[in-house]
Amino acid sequence: MINRIVLVGRLTRDPEMRYTQSGIAVTRFTLACDRPFSGQDGKREADFIDCVVWRKQAENVSKYLSKGSMAGVDGRLQISSYEGQDGQKRYRAEVVADGVRFLSSKGDGRDSAPPPRDDEAPQAKGGFDQQPYSGGIDLSDDDLPF
Amino acid sequence: MINRIVLVGRLTRDPEMRYTQSGIAVTRFTLACDRPFSGQDGKREADFIDCVVWRKQAENVSKYLSKGSMAGVDGRLQISSYEGQDGQKRYRAEVVADGVRFLSSKGDGRDSAPPPRDDEAPQAKGGFDQQPYSGGIDLSDDDLPF
Amino acid sequence: MINRIVLVGRLTRDPEMRYTQSGIAVTRFTLACDRPFSGQDGKREADFIDCVVWRKQAENVSKYLSKGSMAGVDGRLQISSYEGQDGQKRYRAEVVADGVRFLSSKGDGRDSAPPPRDDEAPQAKGGFDQQPYSGGIDLSDDDLPF
Amino acid sequence: MINRIVLVGRLTRDPEMRYTQSGIAVTRFTLACDRPFSGQDGKREADFIDCVVWRKQAENVSKYLSKGSMAGVDGRLQISSYEGQDGQKRYRAEVVADGVRFLSSKGDGRDSAPPPRDDEAPQAKGGFDQQPYSGGIDLSDDDLPF
DNA sequence: TTTT
DNA sequence: TTTT
């Protein structure tokens, strides 16, 4: 009934975009969110959290984020079930993003990509802020409700 | 750039709905969220947090919630400035709700109001779940983006 | 780096408590969180989200919550890997609760359990508020850091 | 009863640290969080949200963040009342941080400060993750419960 | 394996 | 009183 999650982490690899049969863009990526206190004794533990975005945001994520990019995600946790290759029912956890925020670049420099043009940016209820000049860029969906 | 708040508390008084000149419903209410550890020594401290909802949700909140109702709110914190009666600039904090969830009733019984009819419920991106049979009811906006 | 999740839902079954070898209480339970818009056309979909709490809270959850209870959880999403029975590496998603809040009862009446005695309740950093008189009860950890 | 807020924004000025009479460090700062869709038509609106951190984190914020730094805050919204200079009761909204995360620097370069040494970093329940190699640094409280 |  |  309430299901809200906010993550900030780095992409473990380049995002993967595809289109549904009806032509809707979907992008998946994984965020590495280091756990508390990892690192203090040499070990670096992280949670690798699968995320999915739809539509305009999917395209923006695909265009502007890549392996190592830091991103903020605001969404809900979805648990899907599927049939394993051995016929067993299994579960998959995935964060369905309402908003994705481009927060920074890989260690070696700021992401070179320019911010997306958002002139027409509509009301992405529940999505993130858009702020072309904020050093980060917004990747909110900007044409379709979801 | 990320601004997300989730509250669960009780309405301190009946919600107040009005319409903007352009006919959009706006409802304001205050949630009492008890602070940590209040109560342990007799004192009960709470934060009284002003909330605002728009459109369809505004109407539902007004219809189904009242003083003492328990509600969940998912939204963003907005700080507005205004001119005080003494000419001073002052600030007002308000949670702009993307979703409001009807969680329970006043102590004396469950809220008697029936759940809203949500047949037509659209995609309330970022809003809360709708589930007429869940014991709680959803008050998501269901006709206008915001 | 930021990993915060807030859930409100109902327990799908009674919570299960056990003790670690070092004597620490751990309780696991699953929360059913209905998805958006389920129900409008007859289908009622939910996410079944596994949660875990430690120590004092584990004991309180075990004592005061049961199948059907409504609860609020504030925590972080943890992805653990384990070896499947077929030697395959698999992942398990679990919300590690910082705070658990007892929000309501099953439909037939309010949970009959009395609120936990919290006289000694300490500072549960990051946990939820405690407010014995608020209609809900708090199940915050109250003796050990975690 | 549940009161959780997550923010990412930039410091509007250098943080201000002081000590209470009992010697506890407190640091206050304001985060500028741009509102949704500001910028699309030239206007850039933001919410200026006051935050407060205590103890070890207060010291770290004071040491490693400055005007323009990007930071993530995880905490609760607190509304305090005070007597205005005109005898009127007024309210002040403030986010009490459980965790503060150093996310980036001002535009001209990455914040030059080295990450805090966190060898001894304890379990900051409800605080943020620590990850020395993630490009950001953690400013979690690391010696006192709060 | 799922709650109302 | 506000940041990029």
Side-chain angles (χ1 to χ4, degrees):
Chain A
M1 304 143 101
I2 291 184
N3 179 338
R4 177 60 58 181
I5 181 167
V6 180
L7 303 171
V8 174
R10 288 184 184 277
L11 298 229
T12 61
R13 57 179 191 287
D14 290 347
E16 285 172 15
M17 183 173 74
R18 62 177 193 82
Y19 286 92
T20 63
Q21 289 179 320
S22 48
I24 299 174
V26 204
T27 298
R28 283 173 208 273
F29 58 95
T30 299
L31 231 46
C33 297
D34 294 298
R35 286 190 193 164
F37 328 118
S38 57
Q40 75 219 43
D41 52 310
K43 63 175 149 54
R44 305 209 289 109
E45 283 186 287
D47 291 293
F48 298 101
I49 303 178
D50 293 327
C51 301
V52 59
V53 264
W54 291 84
R55 304 175 197 274
K56 187 69 176 189
Q57 287 191 87
E59 292 168 359
N60 285 334
V61 164
S62 162
K63 213 177 300 183
Y64 300 108
L65 298 182
S66 56
K67 183 178 175 179
S69 299
M70 186 180 273
V73 166
D74 176 23
R76 49 178 252 274
L77 178 59
Q78 186 171 274
I79 310 290
S80 325
S81 68
Y82 64 97
E83 179 115 358
Q85 52 286 59
D86 56 355
Q88 287 276 133
K89 195 173 190 179
R90 272 194 251 294
Y91 299 89
R92 163 188 200 67
E94 203 168 49
V95 172
V96 181
D98 290 314
V100 179
R101 196 90 192 30
F102 179 10
L103 289 174
S104 91
S105 63
K106 290 169 276 193
D108 48 16
R110 301 176 86 77
D111 272 331
S112 54
R117 293 292 299 136
D118 275 317
D119 306 290
E120 78 291 22
Q123 288 132 320
K125 195 175 94 181
F128 284 179
D129 300 5
Q130 163 197 338
Q131 76 244 83
Y133 305 111
S134 287
I137 60 169
D138 179 49
L139 302 167
S140 293
D141 182 17
D142 66 10
D143 50 8
L144 290 168
F146 181 73
Chain B
M1 304 143 97
I2 291 185
N3 179 339
R4 176 60 58 180
I5 181 166
V6 180
L7 302 171
V8 174
R10 289 184 183 279
L11 298 229
T12 60
R13 57 179 190 288
D14 291 345
E16 286 172 16
M17 184 174 74
R18 64 178 190 83
Y19 286 91
T20 63
Q21 288 178 321
S22 48
I24 300 174
V26 204
T27 298
R28 283 172 208 274
F29 59 94
T30 299
L31 230 44
C33 298
D34 294 298
R35 285 190 195 165
F37 328 119
S38 58
Q40 74 220 44
D41 52 311
K43 64 174 150 52
R44 306 208 290 109
E45 285 186 287
D47 291 293
F48 299 101
I49 303 179
D50 294 327
C51 300
V52 60
V53 263
W54 290 84
R55 305 176 196 273
K56 186 69 175 190
Q57 287 192 88
E59 291 169 359
N60 285 335
V61 164
S62 162
K63 214 177 300 183
Y64 299 108
L65 298 182
S66 55
K67 183 179 175 178
S69 299
M70 187 181 273
V73 166
D74 176 22
R76 49 179 251 274
L77 177 59
Q78 186 172 273
I79 310 290
S80 326
S81 68
Y82 63 98
E83 179 115 359
Q85 53 286 60
D86 56 354
Q88 287 276 133
K89 194 173 190 181
R90 271 193 251 294
Y91 299 89
R92 163 187 200 67
E94 205 168 47
V95 171
V96 181
D98 290 314
V100 179
R101 196 89 193 29
F102 178 10
L103 289 173
S104 93
S105 64
K106 290 168 277 192
D108 48 18
R110 300 178 85 78
D111 273 330
S112 55
R117 293 292 299 135
D118 275 316
D119 305 289
E120 77 290 22
Q123 288 133 318
K125 196 175 91 181
F128 285 178
D129 298 4
Q130 163 197 336
Q131 76 243 85
Y133 304 112
S134 286
I137 59 170
D138 178 51
L139 301 166
S140 294
D141 182 17
D142 66 9
D143 49 9
L144 291 167
F146 181 73
Chain C
M1 304 142 98
I2 291 184
N3 179 339
R4 176 61 58 181
I5 181 166
V6 180
L7 304 170
V8 173
R10 288 183 184 278
L11 297 230
T12 61
R13 58 182 188 286
D14 290 346
E16 285 172 17
M17 184 174 75
R18 63 177 192 82
Y19 286 91
T20 62
Q21 289 179 321
S22 49
I24 299 174
V26 204
T27 297
R28 284 175 206 273
F29 59 95
T30 298
L31 231 44
C33 297
D34 295 299
R35 285 190 193 164
F37 327 118
S38 57
Q40 75 219 42
D41 53 310
K43 64 174 149 50
R44 306 206 287 102
E45 285 185 286
D47 291 293
F48 299 101
I49 302 178
D50 294 327
C51 301
V52 60
V53 263
W54 291 84
R55 305 175 196 275
K56 186 70 176 189
Q57 286 191 89
E59 291 168 359
N60 285 336
V61 164
S62 161
K63 213 177 300 182
Y64 299 108
L65 298 182
S66 55
K67 182 178 176 180
S69 299
M70 186 181 271
V73 166
D74 176 22
R76 49 179 252 274
L77 177 59
Q78 186 171 274
I79 310 291
S80 325
S81 68
Y82 63 97
E83 179 115 358
Q85 53 286 60
D86 56 354
Q88 286 276 132
K89 195 174 190 179
R90 271 193 252 293
Y91 299 90
R92 161 187 203 67
E94 204 168 48
V95 171
V96 181
D98 291 314
V100 179
R101 197 89 192 30
F102 179 8
L103 289 174
S104 92
S105 64
K106 289 170 278 192
D108 49 17
R110 301 178 84 76
D111 273 331
S112 55
R117 293 293 299 135
D118 275 317
D119 306 289
E120 77 291 20
Q123 288 131 321
K125 196 176 93 182
F128 284 359
D129 299 4
Q130 162 197 336
Q131 75 244 87
Y133 304 112
S134 287
I137 60 169
D138 179 50
L139 301 167
S140 294
D141 181 17
D142 65 9
D143 49 9
L144 290 167
F146 181 71
Chain D
M1 304 143 98
I2 291 184
N3 180 339
R4 177 60 57 181
I5 182 167
V6 180
L7 303 171
V8 173
R10 289 182 184 278
L11 298 230
T12 61
R13 57 180 190 289
D14 290 346
E16 286 172 16
M17 183 173 75
R18 64 177 191 82
Y19 286 92
T20 62
Q21 289 178 321
S22 48
I24 299 174
V26 205
T27 298
R28 284 174 207 273
F29 59 95
T30 298
L31 230 45
C33 297
D34 295 299
R35 284 192 195 164
F37 326 119
S38 57
Q40 77 219 43
D41 53 310
K43 63 174 151 50
R44 306 206 288 104
E45 284 187 287
D47 291 292
F48 298 101
I49 303 178
D50 294 328
C51 300
V52 60
V53 263
W54 291 84
R55 305 175 195 273
K56 186 68 176 190
Q57 286 192 88
E59 292 168 359
N60 284 335
V61 164
S62 162
K63 214 178 299 183
Y64 298 109
L65 298 182
S66 56
K67 182 178 176 179
S69 299
M70 186 180 272
V73 165
D74 176 23
R76 48 179 252 274
L77 177 60
Q78 185 171 274
I79 310 290
S80 325
S81 68
Y82 63 97
E83 179 114 358
Q85 52 286 60
D86 56 355
Q88 287 275 132
K89 195 174 191 178
R90 271 194 252 292
Y91 299 89
R92 163 188 200 67
E94 204 168 48
V95 172
V96 181
D98 291 313
V100 179
R101 196 94 194 24
F102 178 11
L103 290 174
S104 92
S105 63
K106 288 170 277 192
D108 48 17
R110 300 177 87 75
D111 274 330
S112 54
R117 293 292 299 136
D118 275 318
D119 306 290
E120 78 291 24
Q123 288 131 320
K125 196 175 94 180
F128 284 179
D129 299 4
Q130 163 197 335
Q131 78 245 82
Y133 304 112
S134 287
I137 60 169
D138 178 50
L139 302 166
S140 293
D141 183 14
D142 67 9
D143 50 7
L144 289 167
F146 180 64

